[in-house]
Amino acid sequence: MNGDRPGGDATAALREALGDAVRPDFDAKFRFAAAGGAPECVVEPADIPGVVAAIDAARRAGLAVVPAGNGTHLRIGWRSRAPHLALSTRQMGRVLAHDAGDMTVRVECGATVAALDAALAAAGQWLPLDPPRAEAMTVGGLIAADRNGPLRLGYGGVRDWLIGVRAVMADGAVVRGGGQVVKNVAGYDLPRLFAGSFGTLGVLVEATFKVRPRAAALALGEWTAPTLAAALARAQAVMASDVQPVLLEAVNESAAEALGLDSGASVLIGVAGSPPHLDEQERRLAALSGGAAVRHAPERGDALLRALREFSQPADDDALVIRVGVLPTALPPVLAEIETAARRAGVVAEIAAHAGNGVAWCQLLGAPDEAALQGVAAAARAAALRGGGWAVYEAIPGELGERLDPWGFDAPALAVMRRVKAALDPDGLFSPGRFVGGI
Ligand SMILES: Cc1cc2nc3c(=O)[nH]c(=O)nc-3n(C[C@H](O)[C@H](O)[C@H](O)COP(=O)(O)OP(=O)(O)OC[C@H]3O[C@@H](n4cnc5c(N)ncnc54)[C@H](O)[C@@H]3O)c2cc1C
């Protein structure tokens, strides 16, 4: 990047170049205050040429570019100190083409996940990803932050459904990767590369997904357990049985309380399909649990599903949120270590695990002081690494955010990731320093 002093002067120059797409007001800046500080200005282009112009103007002004949707997941990752422009796609929210026969949809990346869902629902179809904050999360954010939810067990993640992207790169080139059809020719797999890139490679402007018929209904069963370890064991028993769950969440007592369950630790079992299928699943679950598992009434089940989906969002401003990933079989020892470390430090650990996937969300709350919180976070990461996995701090409160490494993983893939970044964004224009290894 080059240019003169970034800041107020730059905003004026950007205004001149981009007109009304520049939003200098406080509200917009606050919304897009990515970790590390407010952007110098917020630009909300209405179309792809507007995105290209914004990138060009940022370069001239000596500003970095932080691609954004509605700002729901901008705080994940290293805090960037570079003066930057937040480039939001939220004015680009059209569903461009829904081919119900081919079961594909092409959408602008500023569309919210909820808006896309509503468009697909009209044709009885579904993109079966259930990230948190669907009303605000844009499709671009869904891809770049690689979000999913409890339904990942049954339906997979972003990379399983994304078949094409269109993106604006650092040199202003508008590139396509993948395509509109389910079967694609070979080539660089740009869509998968962008999934989980956290705004470091380019600005996603369009995405094509394959979709599927909407599940007729989803039912939620609950099987309580004395401890989290017992809940995880029950989840394993469900996995090994003839029950076919689309979600399987093991929660400890603190998480159960936060979710509004009054039964202590539990495993929640979701099944999807036609009413006879659901009845059959209920019968099998009752047989497996000796009658201990109960099916929630539809309204209650829906409320619990919503709460599970939102569980990964920080419970309050002081919460430290950790996403742990290990093999499902390694969850019991790793999560037991986290619970023990929290108990000793006087910290509340709410834990909900996608028991069939090996991903667990931990909310650390009510810490007596910063040192206690930091100690539990470190213990959680050490346990995850010992268990052959990783632990990412997705939300870090206050000053701790200046000191803790959010990613904490010296990935063997890091050298390749650095080369990819250097090839696609040689000047480090996009979200500099945000990702693992300071990418
Ligand atoms: C800190 C970390 C390090 C990882 N290191 C490796 C590795 O060395 N080799 C490997 O094959 N897989 C690595 N992974 C990927 C991990 O194993 C994937 O989660 C797994 O492949 C399942 O992919 P998923 O798309 O379902 O991702 P999820 O588990 O849902 O989430 C993956 C998230 O982690 C981030 N991520 C993806 N890959 C990496 C990476 N290499 N380094 C840092 N962050 C990453 C993405 O931004 C994405 O948001 C790492 C993940 C994390 C979080």
Side-chain angles (χ1 to χ4, degrees), residues 144-148 152 157 159 195-198 323 359 390-392 394 407-414 417 435-436:
D146 195 13
R147 296 292 103 172
N148 48 57
R152 171 159 169 198
R159 291 187 189 99
S197 59
F198 285 98
R323 184 164 57 103
V359 172
W390 42 266
V392 175
E394 292 234 337
W407 306 105
F409 196 93
D410 195 5
L414 205 52
M417 292 167 71
F435 202 15
V436 63

Side-chain angles (χ1 to χ4, degrees), residues 20-205:
D20 284 349
V22 177
R23 293 268 314 272
D25 57 289
F26 175 79
D27 177 56
K29 282 193 183 183
F30 180 76
R31 176 192 281 262
F32 295 107
E40 299 298 328
C41 72
V42 178
V43 181
E44 299 180 358
D47 51 23
I48 293 175
V51 174
V52 175
I55 290 172
D56 181 56
R59 238 181 216 292
R60 288 166 193 272
L63 295 174
V65 174
V66 173
N70 265 319
T72 61
H73 284 74
L74 283 182
R75 285 177 179 75
I76 301 173
W78 283 107
R79 298 187 173 188
S80 163
R81 280 174 190 79
H84 63 275
L85 169 160
L87 197 165
S88 168
T89 57
R90 62 188 182 145
Q91 301 302 329
M92 300 165 66
R94 288 173 303 161
V95 175
L96 298 169
H98 176 202
D99 188 331
D102 276 349
M103 295 207 283
T104 59
V105 66
R106 187 161 62 93
V107 63
E108 287 186 324
C109 281
T112 64
V113 173
L116 175 59
D117 186 59
L120 295 171
Q125 294 187 337
W126 190 33
L127 175 63
L129 301 172
D130 58 339
R133 303 189 64 184
E135 289 74 24
M137 180 185 285
T138 60
V139 166
L142 174 80
I143 299 168
D146 195 13
R147 296 292 103 172
N148 48 57
L151 289 179
R152 171 159 169 198
L153 176 65
Y155 303 104
V158 169
R159 291 187 189 99
D160 298 304
W161 296 95
L162 183 65
I163 57 175
V165 293
R166 201 167 179 204
V168 185
M169 309 304 285
D171 60 0
V174 183
V175 300
R176 271 186 204 279
Q180 318 298 314
V181 291
V182 174
K183 284 189 181 170
N184 268 310
V185 290
Y188 287 119
D189 195 339
L190 214 51
R192 284 202 164 84
L193 195 59
F194 266 94
S197 59
F198 285 98
T200 57
L201 299 181
V203 181
L204 289 160
V205 287

